[in-house]
Each structure stands twice: as structure tokens, then as C-alpha cells.
DNA sequence: CTCCGACTTCAAGCGCGCTTGAAGTCAAGC
DNA sequence: GCTTGACTTCAAGCGCGCTTGAAGTCGGAG
């Protein structure tokens, strides 16, 4: 079964089907998230499995993974076919832990807010919100993530300066 | 009651107490999130209420607000005293909606993952994950937020090109 | 043949939330 | 006086996830 013209997508077609801009797709390819072959005229041709990989990446982003982390996760799934239940199970389980943790954090935040409503506080010392930023403050430079990144992974080369109070 | 030396904080003291770097505090001040007076030697002196404002901002970030949005929210609270229950109530209620929405999205994602485990799919057309990125794809340029920003606010001047599939 | 649009590469830019560096000032201790 | 360290301003840089622009190529229609 050599791939016929319909088994393969131009970057424009892939963009339309995935909802991403062609620039984003080239960027993804530069990161190794998707792969393409080239025509004799040096144009990219993507296999249909690229759609699955993109879907995976977008889902990974929603779970809070960076593109680099998504690539690592993607490396544990087969390149050219849909993952088996077993393969998918391992990945999904890890994501569920992430999601659960994020949900737990949000619920904690919500509880703190409710407590604040009850006490009318934000009184500098007693308010639970006052200590809500502990983990976020420990993150490195760069744009801050909205929710806490994986707390028990990563080298964390640069400790936050002056954070010891 | 003129503010004595103990009612007022240097930027270094504020950094230590808030857990933020002095550079971050200057940045916050440049954005109007906190305010300071100056000594005769042109050094910043922050009122203790700055601590409360910073706590508020950090909490706002956890809820998913940008610093600009945090400033807008902060503008609805009094500058120089703790907010009353009524004042706080309005803000907290808005945040709770945000949090609830984020939790709902995460739970939806989790359900989709569970479904995927059950069906062993990612089969391009049937998988719920496949359509999980709809809203994220509609966002503009720049670093992507991990979770969906407020879907019904903001001018959104630049529609994502090629997002119509 | 021309023309057009979809493709190519590469470098640079953007937006956010900061940090870093350079060059200078101020305040206290020896 | 000198040193030290905390402060000042301003500009530039970083990391992520892309987009934008310039300059050129490919491939089919007329």
C-alpha cells in the first residue's frame, strides 16, 4: 500500500483540518511534534497520522503541558498508528493525575475565597488567600503559568531570589 | 497618625515579606498595581496595604487573571483599607465563576480521557479529545494560556487566521 | 508564455511577566 | 574619607508559543 495522493496532506490542508495556522504547523514540525516527507518540489506532505498527533498536542496543552513535554509524551506513543488501549492508558493516567491536581488546587482556592467572604478579611495575616501564591512564587523566570506546573519535576536551576520569608 | 517608620516598608522589606523580587515589585508599581511614596533620597516607601494588594494580585493570577485584569479588579477595592464584606463579595463571586468554569473544563477533559481509555481510540474522527482544542485555537497570538481565558470578555482585535475548520 | 496562489526558508517581532545589567545615588559603619 | 550594600533609572533580554515579513519557488489555469 504505497500512500496515494489522498493519504497525504499539504500543509494548507492540514492547517484547515487541524484549525492551526500553517506557521504553527511548521513550528510544530521544527520542534519534532509532527513529521513530513517532501515532494520533488520540496513541499511538505503530511501523513494523516499528523492529525492525530496534533490533536494529542492540543489536548496536552489543555492539560498544562508545554510543547516540549508534549513531545516527550508523544514519543511514548506509536508514530504511524493509533495507540493501543494499553499504550494510551499509561499516558492518560498521568494526565488524569495532573488534572486532578489542578482541580484540587482550584477547589482549594475556591474554599479560600469562600472563607474570605465569610470573614470579610484579607487582613494581611489571617487570610488564607494571603498564602495562596506560595508555589507560584517558587517558579523561575519567564511568563508565569496560570496554574501550577508539575511540582515534582524539572531541574529548577534558578531559585527565586529573596524568597525565604 | 502620621505614618511612623514601622508603618512603611522599603522595597527590600516588601520583597522579603511578599516573596517577590524587588524587580517584580517595581514592575508591579509601573503597572499601577501598587503605589509608593518617595523619601527625600528618592527611595520608595510602601504602605503596609501594599502587602494586601500584592496578595490580591497573586491570588488573581492563580485564578487566571492577567496583571492588567488584576489591576482592573483592584481598582474596585479600596486603596487604603481592607475591603468590606460587601466589596469583597462582588470580586470573589466573579472569581468563583471563573474557578467553576475552569474546574468544569478540566472535568470535561478528564471525562474525555476516560472515554478514550475505554474505547482505545484517538481514531481521528470519533475521539472526544480530537475536538478538545476548539476554544484554545480561537485565541490570538502570543504565549498560550494553559486554560481558556474568559470567553465572553475582551475586544479580541486579531482573529486567528485560518481557524475555520 | 504569464499569472496566481500555495508553498519554501530565515530572521525578526509580539505579548506576557518578569529578570538582568549598567551606571549612578544614598545611608550607615569603620 | 572610604567602603559596603541597598536603593535608583533605563534599556535590553528571556522563555514560550507562536505570527509576520521578505524574498524566492512550485504547479496548474488560461
Amino acid at each position: 500500500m504505497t500512500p496515494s495522493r489522498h493519504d497525504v496532506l499539504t500543509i494548507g490542508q492540514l492547517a484547515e483540518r487541524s484549525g492551526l495556522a500553517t506557521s504553527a504547523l511548521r513550528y510544530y514540525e521544527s520542534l519534532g511534534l509532527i513529521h513530513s516527507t517532501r515532494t520533488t518540489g520540496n513541499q511538505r506532505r503530511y501523513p494523516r497520522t499528523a492529525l492525530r498527533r496534533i490533536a494529542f498536542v492540543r489536548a496536552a496543552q489543555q492539560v498544562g503541558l508545554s510543547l516540549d513535554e508534549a513531545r516527550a509524551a508523544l514519543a511514548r506513543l506509536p508514530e504511524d498508528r493509533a495507540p493501543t488501549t494499553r499504550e494510551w492508558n499509561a499516558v492518560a493516567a498521568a494526565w488524569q493525575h495532573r488534572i486532578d491536581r489542578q482541580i484540587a488546587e482550584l477547589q482549594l482556592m475556591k474554599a479560600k475565597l469562600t472563607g474570605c467572604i465569610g470573614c470579610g478579611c484579607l487582613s494581611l495575616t489571617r487570610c488564607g488567600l494571603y498564602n495562596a501564591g506560595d508555589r507560584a512564587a517558587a517558579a523561575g523566570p519567564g511568563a508565569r503559568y496560570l496554574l501550577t506546573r508539575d511540582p515534582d519535576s524539572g531541574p529548577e536551576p534558578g531559585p527565586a531570589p529573596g524568597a525565604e520569608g
Side-chain angles (χ1 to χ4, degrees), chain A residues 37-56:
Chain A
T37 55
R38 298 300 180 110
T39 66
T40 53
N42 198 32
Q43 294 195 357
R44 288 172 177 83
R45 287 302 123 92
Y46 293 98
R48 292 169 63 91
T49 55
L51 276 167
R52 189 193 300 125
R53 291 175 76 87
I54 291 168
F56 182 92

Side-chain angles (χ1 to χ4, degrees), chain A residues 44-76:
Chain A
R44 288 172 177 83
R45 287 302 123 92
Y46 293 98
R48 292 169 63 91
T49 55
L51 276 167
R52 189 193 300 125
R53 291 175 76 87
I54 291 168
F56 182 92
V57 169
R58 303 305 272 176
Q61 284 186 308
Q62 294 240 327
V63 176
L65 295 172
S66 68
L67 291 184
D68 225 52
E69 291 169 312
R71 185 174 41 130
L74 215 37
R76 312 184 61 189

Side-chain angles (χ1 to χ4, degrees), chain A residues 87-151:
Chain A
E87 287 163 342
W88 177 241
N89 205 355
V91 172
W95 286 15
Q96 294 223 354
H97 286 142
R98 252 179 193 275
I99 293 175
D100 286 343
R101 212 158 38 198
Q102 289 178 13
I103 290 177
E105 279 191 44
L106 284 171
Q107 281 170 344
L108 179 63
M109 184 70 175
K110 191 179 173 183
K112 283 177 177 174
L113 276 176
T114 311
C116 266
I117 290 178
C119 71
C121 64
L122 270 179
S123 68
L124 293 187
T125 49
R126 285 169 299 164
C127 183
L129 273 178
Y130 204 47
N131 296 322
D134 288 355
R135 315 225 272 149
R144 257 165 217 288
Y145 290 88
L146 292 192
L147 292 173
T148 310
R149 303 297 305 280
D150 195 339

Side-chain angles (χ1 to χ4, degrees), chain A residues 12-37:
Chain A
Q13 290 166 337
L14 188 58
E16 201 173 347
R17 283 180 181 246
S18 68
L20 289 176
T22 57
S23 58
L25 295 176
R26 285 193 203 94
Y27 179 63
Y28 280 18
E29 189 173 344
S30 78
L31 297 184
L33 292 166
I34 51 179
H35 306 285
S36 66
T37 55

